Structure formats: structure tokens, C-alpha cells
Amino acid sequence: MTAMMPLTFMVATIQRFPPILLLFLLFGCGGSQPDVEKINLNLSFDRILLDSYSNPRQLDSALNSIAERHPDFFQAYGGPVLGLFVGLDSVPPAAVWSRYYFDLQVKALRDSVNNRFDDFEPEKKEIEQALKLYSYHFPSKKIPDVFFFLGGFNYTVVALETSIGIAPDQYLGPASEYYAHLPAYIRRKKDPSLLPVDVLKGWLESEIMADSMALPVTLLDHIIQFGKVWSVAKRCFPEVSDSIISGF
């Protein structure tokens, strides 16, 4: 599934966006952007199974480290994200992880991600700048840590309580052979320039959904949610075109 969606076990306690501030963000006039360079977020970035390990022993050590750093995500990574096993309460054995990681098709996909993004430095800078603007406009809101993971085209964004993960294999470019079977309107959403924006949008959607009594059902519900996410994202990515922020 390529649509952004938080996992069902996501936990969050976020207060509602102030309506007046939302109106300001949506309709406020343009002008100079605030100086946010002095805002220190203590933001951390991480990579999950995107590095190269030469043998199962190295992989097992890496998996143990991932489980310590991202316990909530790791429980779901082998299950609903990658589909290696069924259920959320068990961790697949080392042999299952090894079979997945050293699979030649998975290796080719991992290499494609690393060739395209390398160390993610441009994306990190763009994400951090956007989160600084988000912190400026919403100083009481929590700022998530960010991690990049190989999603196998199953998930794009996974929002947790204090972090958000993004799957760069969904952003290899519209011309990538991995997306050749997709219609053009979906392929255009595979552009790498959308990755930083989707990180913020995924976090905003998780906050709004956590604050709601129920998932959006009616057309009006979806319009309101889209408007909230778009208006905040536009303030946090002032130089990005509307088409990239909207995804259309």
C-alpha cells in the first residue's frame, strides 16, 4: 500500500490545533519567513536495514541494535510492514530475517535506494528546516525523530508516538523500473522531492487522527483534514510548490 497510514498501535496524546492559528496558517498573508536557525530540536535521524552487512552474524547484531533503538517499530517491521510473519507480538527468527535481507531482489532494491539517496543529507536538511518552522508555529508540539527504512513498497510512512519512519524505496523517481507498471498519476508521486514533505504530512496526519474521535468518513471530514495538513505543511515548506505539497 502506498498511501500514508499510521500503524494501528500508534499512541499519541496531542491537543487539538488552535482553530484561530489554523485559520492564520491557511489564510495568513505572505511575507518574510521567521528566523529559526537558533531553534535546537535535538533531532535524530536513523537508518534501518539500509546498510550493507556481509553475513548473518553482522545482520543479527544490527537487528538487535534496531530493536533497542526502535522497539515499537521493530515489532511491526517484520509483520504488517514487510509481511514476514503474521501478528504483532512475535519477532521472526533470525533465519527469516536473514532470508529476507540477503534475497537478491531485496539487495537490488536496497542498492537502488543507496545509489539514489546515499546518506540522505539533502533530505535531512530539508526535513530539519521544516520541523524547525513547525516548532516555531507550534512550540508546544512534540517533534518526532526520523528514520529511513526499506519498506518493500508496502508502507510509505509509519508514524509512532515519538518518531516517524519513511520508506525511500517509494521515491526512486517516476522513471524507475520499479514503478513501470503503475499509472502515470501515481508514478509522478514517486519523485524524490516529495520525500521530505511526506515526512511532515505523515506526522501531521497522525496528530490529527490521534486527536479525532473517529477516522474521517464523509467528504467534508476529508476536506477538513486535508486543509489542516496542507495549511501547516505550506508554512513549513514555504519555497515548495503547491503541487508537491498536495501531491497532485
Side-chain angles (χ1 to χ4, degrees):
M1 97 185 38
T2 58
M4 292 183 298
M5 56 181 298
L7 296 181
T8 55
F9 59 83
M10 181 188 68
V11 179
T13 53
I14 309 296
Q15 295 181 346
R16 189 178 304 276
F17 284 111
I20 294 177
L21 184 52
L22 279 174
L23 289 174
F24 164 74
L25 289 172
L26 184 57
F27 300 110
C29 60
S32 60
Q33 294 299 316
D35 182 7
V36 296
E37 292 309 312
K38 293 183 179 180
I39 296 179
N40 185 11
L41 299 180
N42 292 318
L43 184 63
S44 71
F45 292 92
D46 202 357
R47 299 162 57 97
I48 293 181
L49 290 193
L50 289 173
D51 296 320
S52 296
Y53 308 110
S54 59
N55 57 64
R57 179 174 297 180
Q58 288 184 355
L59 174 62
D60 187 57
S61 176
L63 290 170
N64 290 334
S65 178
I66 293 169
E68 292 178 1
R69 302 194 310 271
H70 305 279
D72 291 342
F73 177 69
F74 187 73
Q75 287 289 330
Y77 191 28
V81 176
L82 293 178
L84 299 182
F85 72 108
V86 178
L88 289 174
D89 297 327
S90 301
V91 176
V96 177
W97 280 111
S98 183
R99 189 181 309 120
Y100 164 77
Y101 179 85
F102 292 107
D103 180 87
L104 293 180
Q105 291 184 337
V106 174
K107 181 182 183 303
L109 178 59
R110 185 167 58 249
D111 290 344
S112 295
V113 168
N114 287 323
N115 289 337
R116 175 61 187 82
F117 293 100
D118 193 20
D119 56 6
F120 294 98
E121 282 306 316
E123 290 75 24
K124 289 178 183 178
K125 291 179 180 178
E126 196 170 349
I127 292 169
E128 183 171 15
Q129 180 68 14
L131 289 176
K132 283 184 176 182
L133 285 167
Y134 177 63
S135 178
Y136 174 86
H137 289 298
F138 298 93
S140 65
K141 299 296 183 182
K142 67 173 69 172
I143 302 298
D145 291 323
V146 181
F147 59 90
F148 306 95
F149 68 95
L150 199 67
F153 308 115
N154 294 325
Y155 276 75
T156 301
V157 173
V158 175
L160 303 171
E161 184 176 2
T162 60
S163 63
I164 186 162
I166 187 93
D169 49 289
Q170 297 280 19
Y171 302 91
L172 296 176
S176 171
E177 62 181 9
Y178 287 109
Y179 315 133
H181 63 290
L182 299 175
Y185 78 95
I186 293 181
R187 291 201 305 272
R188 68 184 298 270
K189 297 182 180 182
K190 303 299 184 178
D191 193 279
S193 63
L194 274 70
L195 187 152
V197 175
D198 284 351
V199 169
L200 180 65
K201 287 171 61 179
W203 184 250
L204 295 175
E205 288 182 4
S206 72
E207 288 192 330
I208 293 171
M209 291 175 65
D211 185 50
S212 301
M213 296 300 294
L215 295 176
V217 176
T218 68
L219 176 60
L220 181 59
D221 291 338
H222 286 280
I223 291 174
I224 292 173
Q225 177 169 318
F226 178 86
K228 288 180 178 180
V229 171
W230 188 93
S231 61
V232 177
K234 184 61 180 176
R235 282 285 170 171
C236 296
F237 289 96
E239 305 300 325
V240 174
S241 68
D242 292 352
S243 62
I244 291 179
I245 291 179
S246 67
F248 298 107

